[in-house]
Amino acid sequence: MTTAAASLAPAMAQDAPAPQVLGADVLVCGAGVAGTMAAVAAARAGARVLLLERYGFLGGNATAGAVAQFNSWQTANGRRVVAGLAQEVVDRLRIYGAAAAHETFVMSTGHRMDRVEYAPEVLKLVLDDMVSDAGVQPLLHASLLDVQREGARVTQVRALTKSGIVAVRPRMLVDASGDMDALRKAGASFLSLEAGEALQPATMMFRFGPIDFAALEAADIGALARRGYEEGALARAALHVARAPFSQDGWFNVSRLAVDATDAMALGRAEIEGRRQAWCAAKFLRHAVPGCAQGRLQAFGTQVGVRETRRVRGEHVLTAEELLAPVAFDDAIAAGAYPIDIHPAAGGELEYSALGDDHAYQIPYRSLCPAGLDNVLAAGRGISASHKALAAIRVMTISMAVGQAAGVAAAQAAAQGERAAARAVSVQRLRAALLDAGACLA
Ligand SMILES: Cc1cc2nc3c(=O)[nH]c(=O)nc-3n(C[C@H](O)[C@H](O)[C@H](O)COP(=O)(O)OP(=O)(O)OC[C@H]3O[C@@H](n4cnc5c(N)ncnc54)[C@H](O)[C@@H]3O)c2cc1C
């Protein structure tokens, strides 16, 4: 050992105390909208819940990614398909004056869609309130370190935190990390892209304003977007904007980043390229788009919004065919009506399959149950679904509904004791509890 190394050794030993060990009925990894709803639902169902999140706030894409609009609550003819905790989120946002009215609008593809625009910063507060009220124990600034497994059971999950390593020994684990990092570390198996498919691109959202929305809405946005794309000012031929409620600003969704967000180096490059694209788009808005001449870029998302990374292989792989010709699943735990909406990684037009007037589909519980693991559930954008099916069910409304279902299921499973297992949950009981809590299952 060199003298320098020898003098470092004692200091390193002092910095590495024994890990703190915590017990929990349910550990939820990742506090995006899916994970937060899972944690709240599990706690309300009586479980002791720990919610592990790498940031200092909750929400994932919905806050850090600044997505700013909850899409698709209903079928084209207005039949409600998502409610439950997702609706409670909106109700609470409204109390803070941070969500607009439910409305329909025309997307850049020309299709009609319904949405609720919201303020991402205030959503952080609402999610704080919901976990606090439910008695969830948040473990923030905690990055997943490793997962220990014995046979088909996850026995321990460790996270790196400001105060060192924290080990959690949960009865049930819900992986809602979007990238399914916990399942990856647990050795779960994942679905591959098929020939001709690519991961959906990421997007750096940005806030721009003030905007004269009346002038903007009167303009030919489609033609302007195509012009911006052809001139190289926009990375995609779209000028999607969600208005920040009760303000003159909008959150723009116009950048395009072909990236595998589980590759750390590539993700770093995408953050930088995303800010560059956003800046170019903001200049285009200011100089070429009616209503935007006084605007300035006000903020970036804390991170690029990530649409797709890993999808776990579950007891059932939900397919596009099962959404397009809807299958009535006996074990349906959530419903949705958002169309298959694939953003090409290389830029250009969306692949968008509009659904019929009263068209809704269901999501089966088995798509939340990773194959080969007993005490684990998946929630959110990494559940067991094909690339095309995920392109529909990834939206936040459906992610929240799936999160709620995963949370109730995890609590019911944890109540079985030390041998808790996702597959041992009575689907009838689970569905009844979800209906009681105001969720829509069809
Ligand atoms: C640019 C963009 C635009 C979109 N537009 C819309 C829209 O208009 N309307 C709509 O409804 N939906 C939209 N979506 C889809 C929607 O936002 C996401 O699919 C949804 O938010 C996914 O939620 P989630 O909770 O599954 O995952 P995420 O939001 O990805 O949350 C995962 C959480 O896990 C945490 N995490 C990850 N890894 C670790 C780790 N190793 N350790 C600790 N914590 C970890 C993250 O920090 C995050 O909080 C859009 C998505 C993007 C990216």
Side-chain angles (χ1 to χ4, degrees):
M1 199 183 280
T2 65
T3 318
S7 66
L8 276 179
M12 286 168 68
Q14 277 167 18
D15 283 350
Q20 192 184 350
V21 180
L22 304 172
D25 295 327
V26 176
L27 169 65
V28 180
C29 272
V33 285
T36 306
M37 295 309 109
V40 169
R44 287 189 188 173
R48 276 177 316 137
V49 183
L50 219 128
L51 177 59
L52 185 158
E53 166 58 42
R54 67 181 161 183
Y55 289 136
F57 56 88
L58 315 180
N61 274 326
T63 53
V67 169
Q69 59 177 13
F70 298 119
N71 277 1
S72 195
W73 297 85
Q74 59 185 36
T75 57
N77 66 4
R79 180 165 62 87
R80 194 65 190 264
V81 293
V82 178
L85 283 182
Q87 181 59 46
E88 185 178 327
V89 167
V90 171
D91 294 342
R92 287 180 179 245
L93 279 163
R94 293 222 169 95
I95 293 169
Y96 277 105
H102 179 245
E103 62 166 11
T104 57
F105 72 109
V106 179
M107 299 174 81
S108 63
T109 54
H111 295 98
R112 286 206 81 77
M113 175 51 57
D114 69 289
R115 68 174 170 190
V116 173
E117 294 160 311
Y118 67 88
E121 290 303 314
V122 183
L123 180 60
K124 292 176 182 172
L125 278 169
V126 164
L127 300 179
D128 289 346
D129 292 348
M130 288 177 78
V131 297
S132 303
D133 293 354
V136 171
Q137 174 66 58
L139 180 58
L140 303 187
H141 292 299
S143 276
L144 193 66
L145 182 61
D146 55 27
V147 175
Q148 211 173 71
R149 177 179 158 175
E150 283 170 20
R153 296 193 70 76
V154 164
T155 51
Q156 177 172 281
V157 175
R158 295 199 310 165
L160 197 53
T161 74
K162 191 73 182 164
S163 45
I165 293 174
V166 173
V168 187
R169 297 198 178 133
R171 284 185 176 173
M172 286 294 300
L173 166 67
V174 178
D175 189 350
S177 65
D179 302 332
M180 301 291 111
D181 283 350
L183 286 170
R184 174 76 171 186
K185 289 175 195 297
S189 126
F190 290 87
L191 299 164
S192 309
L193 293 165
E194 311 246 308
E197 293 179 350
L199 288 176
Q200 294 228 34
T203 292
M204 175 58 79
M205 299 289 295
F206 67 92
R207 183 175 176 139
F208 178 96
I211 296 169
D212 174 347
F213 277 92
L216 176 65
E217 280 155 20
D220 185 346
I221 301 283
L224 282 160
R226 279 191 297 281
R227 186 184 130 197
Y229 181 56
E230 280 153 20
E231 288 174 3
L234 301 179
R236 61 185 286 208
L239 279 169
H240 280 304
V241 59
R243 184 172 184 163
F246 313 109
S247 85
Q248 295 304 113
D249 291 358
W251 283 100
F252 281 82
N253 171 351
V254 297
S255 68
R256 262 284 174 277
L257 303 155
V259 62
D260 175 354
T262 62
D263 172 341
M265 299 305 272
L267 180 60
R269 287 193 297 273
E271 299 281 4
I272 291 168
E273 171 61 12
R275 286 186 283 271
R276 189 197 68 77
Q277 288 185 13
W279 182 255
C280 288
K283 273 202 303 193
F284 178 76
L285 286 170
R286 192 169 155 78
H287 294 121
V289 177
C292 296
Q294 303 305 317
R296 291 278 190 284
L297 192 150
Q298 307 285 350
F300 298 110
T302 304
Q303 67 150 83
V304 287
V306 177
R307 291 185 175 82
E308 179 182 12
T309 49
R310 301 189 185 106
R311 290 167 289 117
V312 74
R313 181 181 299 284
E315 299 285 313
H316 180 85
V317 180
L318 186 65
T319 64
E321 292 70 31
E322 291 167 336
L323 306 185
L324 293 173
V327 172
F329 291 108
D330 289 342
D331 62 340
I333 47 77
Y338 191 71
I340 293 172
D341 167 20
I342 301 180
H343 298 233
E349 302 293 329
L350 303 183
E351 182 185 330
Y352 191 92
S353 321
L355 304 178
D357 274 355
D358 194 44
H359 192 127
Y361 47 76
Q362 294 183 316
I363 297 167
Y365 178 57
R366 284 162 298 145
S367 289
L368 280 54
C369 298
L373 287 166
D374 283 350
N375 60 333
V376 174
L377 284 160
R381 65 180 171 82
I383 67 168
S384 180
S386 70
H387 165 73
K388 281 198 171 154
L390 180 70
I393 63 167
R394 66 192 170 85
V395 285
M396 292 186 284
T397 41
I398 302 174
S399 295
M400 288 193 271
V402 168
Q404 180 172 6
V408 175
Q412 292 185 350
Q416 297 159 358
E418 292 308 317
R419 303 306 297 168
R423 275 180 300 277
V425 165
S426 151
V427 167
Q428 257 182 334
R429 230 184 113 223
L430 171 59
R431 285 168 47 88
L434 289 168
L435 289 170
D436 270 357
C440 295
L441 306 185

